[in-house]
Amino acid sequence: MGRLRRFLLLCWTHFYKVLILGILSVIFLQTRSEASPSAYTNSDPGLTAKFNATDVTVNANSSVSSNDTSQDYFVTTEIPICPSVPPKLVGRLKVWTDAPSWKELDEMYTDVEDGGRFRPKDCASRHKVAIIIPYRNRDVHLRLFLYNMHPILMRQQLDYGIFVIEEAGDTVFNRAMLMNIGFVEALKLYDFQCFIFHDVDLLPEDDRNIYSCPEQPRHMSVAVDTMNYKLPYADIFGGVSAVTKEQMEKVNGFSNEFWGWGGEDDDMSNRLRYYGYKISRYQANVARYKMMKHTKDKPNPDRYNKLYRGKFRYTTDGVNSLKYERESLQLKHLYTLVIVKLERPKVSRGR
């Protein structure tokens, strides 16, 4: 009887072990089958989402599970996270200044998806980046920008999209408001974590100038040829700048009150320092840019007064006070075009 009792007790113990293992296996398989949502989540039902690339999710073993659900069955492959230093960088570049036609551009860069969307196929990018370009009537500059930038961004192994935010009509140009709009509109399409605000007439001369966001806001256009490759002043934040999603939300984005040329970048610099951030930069021999020739807009005569009183408006003037009408959103081959009509916001003046 003693042997039989021990035998039955042993079977009962193993039965519970097998049962627990079976339950854990079912949970694991269900987790694997619940794929992450598509690369772009379209909050606008009227827009056809053409950004649905292969889904990627990071596993605990620092690799990536890639799920293609376009078939009737599940295909799962593993790809590594991209290296911290992209292996195909070339350093100092020749900047191309002969603009291809739009037809020629459309035949280039076949790896880029509609909307100017790209991410590497052989590894999972470390950076989800939206390039935001405030724009109006700069056709040649835009073609040159796309011609030069896409190869650089692809070599940097970024998960990126290019957004051109065009101000419609003949109202005074408001660069900062367009950048705020680009931030808002890009997030409607994808969970970008890094935002590069970029003048269309600046082209990088070195691909080691990585288009990513570090812990602190980064001023990227440190050395521009028209300024003898020297930084004009210590607090400058104009030209090309990189800010995380969290940083944009904390400082309430750019001010919407700077109509015409000048002031908005210095106001953003002031905001960042007010909220405890420090502006970071690459070395001048890497953060080099060539500026395309252009006619500057009429300066804003009230910009210094706006700058002086800016600190009283940080919480009421910015992303949370945007007033605009989106006239169209078009997924071009090499960029996403957002055409908007602006309104002057009504904000509290503080003191």
Side-chain angles (χ1 to χ4, degrees), residues 145-163:
F145 181 89
L146 298 170
Y147 184 37
N148 282 273
M149 286 302 304
H150 273 297
I152 294 173
L153 299 174
M154 287 189 282
R155 284 198 301 273
Q156 292 182 354
Q157 296 182 315
L158 304 175
D159 178 355
Y160 74 87
I162 294 180
F163 294 83

Side-chain angles (χ1 to χ4, degrees), residues 24-315:
L24 291 175
S25 299
V26 171
I27 293 173
F28 174 76
L29 290 173
Q30 287 180 342
T31 303
R32 291 287 294 269
S33 66
E34 292 175 356
S36 59
S38 63
Y40 269 78
T41 303
N42 176 20
S43 62
D44 183 352
L47 177 66
T48 302
K50 296 183 180 179
F51 300 90
N52 295 328
T54 302
D55 293 340
V56 289
T57 54
V58 178
N59 289 336
N61 61 358
S62 297
S63 65
V64 170
S65 174
S66 174
N67 302 320
D68 183 354
T69 57
S70 61
Q71 305 296 328
D72 293 332
Y73 53 88
F74 233 79
V75 178
T76 301
T77 58
E78 298 266 331
I79 59 174
I81 294 176
C82 296
S84 56
V85 178
K88 296 183 180 180
L89 300 180
V90 298
R92 194 64 59 84
L93 305 168
K94 174 179 175 58
V95 176
W96 303 101
T97 56
D98 294 326
S101 67
W102 283 114
K103 182 179 179 180
E104 291 171 328
L105 273 174
D106 283 339
E107 296 172 353
M108 298 177 181
Y109 312 134
T110 55
D111 288 338
V112 177
E113 301 172 16
D114 286 350
R117 183 77 171 93
F118 173 85
R119 60 182 169 187
K121 294 181 174 62
D122 57 349
C123 62
S125 178
R126 295 172 177 266
H127 311 287
K128 297 179 179 180
V129 185
I131 315 294
I132 309 296
I133 305 170
Y135 178 84
R136 184 162 65 183
N137 298 332
R138 304 283 284 274
D139 180 84
V140 173
H141 289 165
L142 180 57
R143 283 184 279 139
L144 283 172
F145 181 89
L146 298 170
Y147 184 37
N148 282 273
M149 286 302 304
H150 273 297
I152 294 173
L153 299 174
M154 287 189 282
R155 284 198 301 273
Q156 292 182 354
Q157 296 182 315
L158 304 175
D159 178 355
Y160 74 87
I162 294 180
F163 294 83
V164 176
I165 316 301
E166 180 175 357
E167 182 176 340
D170 56 0
T171 55
V172 178
F173 194 68
N174 191 321
R175 176 177 176 270
M177 189 184 294
L178 294 176
M179 292 190 289
N180 281 340
I181 293 170
F183 173 75
V184 171
E185 292 292 333
L187 284 174
K188 292 178 182 179
L189 295 177
Y190 188 52
D191 184 27
F192 291 107
Q193 297 298 313
C194 175
F195 294 81
I196 311 291
F197 299 100
H198 209 303
D199 285 351
V200 72
D201 51 41
L202 284 173
L203 301 174
E205 297 182 0
D206 197 310
D207 63 2
R208 294 172 297 175
N209 188 359
I210 303 295
Y211 275 50
S212 63
C213 290
E215 291 185 3
Q216 296 294 330
R218 175 182 286 159
H219 177 235
M220 301 189 67
S221 51
V222 176
V224 180
D225 63 340
T226 56
M227 300 177 186
N228 296 317
Y229 295 106
K230 294 180 180 179
L231 193 70
Y233 52 95
D235 294 330
I236 188 173
F237 200 64
V240 186
S241 54
V243 182
T244 67
K245 176 184 175 182
E246 179 183 356
Q247 291 160 2
M248 275 289 286
E249 291 172 342
K250 186 171 182 178
V251 305
N252 195 22
F254 292 83
S255 168
N256 297 314
E257 295 234 332
F258 289 86
W259 298 83
W261 181 86
E264 73 281 351
D265 293 316
D266 291 331
D267 182 86
M268 184 58 159
S269 177
N270 292 341
R271 288 183 183 223
L272 292 168
R273 286 183 284 111
Y274 177 85
Y275 284 98
Y277 295 113
K278 296 180 179 179
I279 295 174
S280 62
R281 293 184 174 93
Y282 281 119
Q283 293 181 345
N285 66 330
V286 171
R288 293 167 57 96
Y289 285 80
K290 182 176 184 61
M291 180 179 286
M292 302 292 100
K293 292 182 179 180
H294 66 282
T295 303
K296 287 187 177 181
D297 290 335
K298 184 178 179 180
N300 178 0
D302 196 33
R303 63 188 184 278
Y304 296 113
N305 180 54
K306 296 288 187 186
L307 273 172
Y308 177 74
R309 300 185 63 81
K311 61 184 178 182
F312 304 120
R313 304 190 313 272
Y314 291 162
T315 60

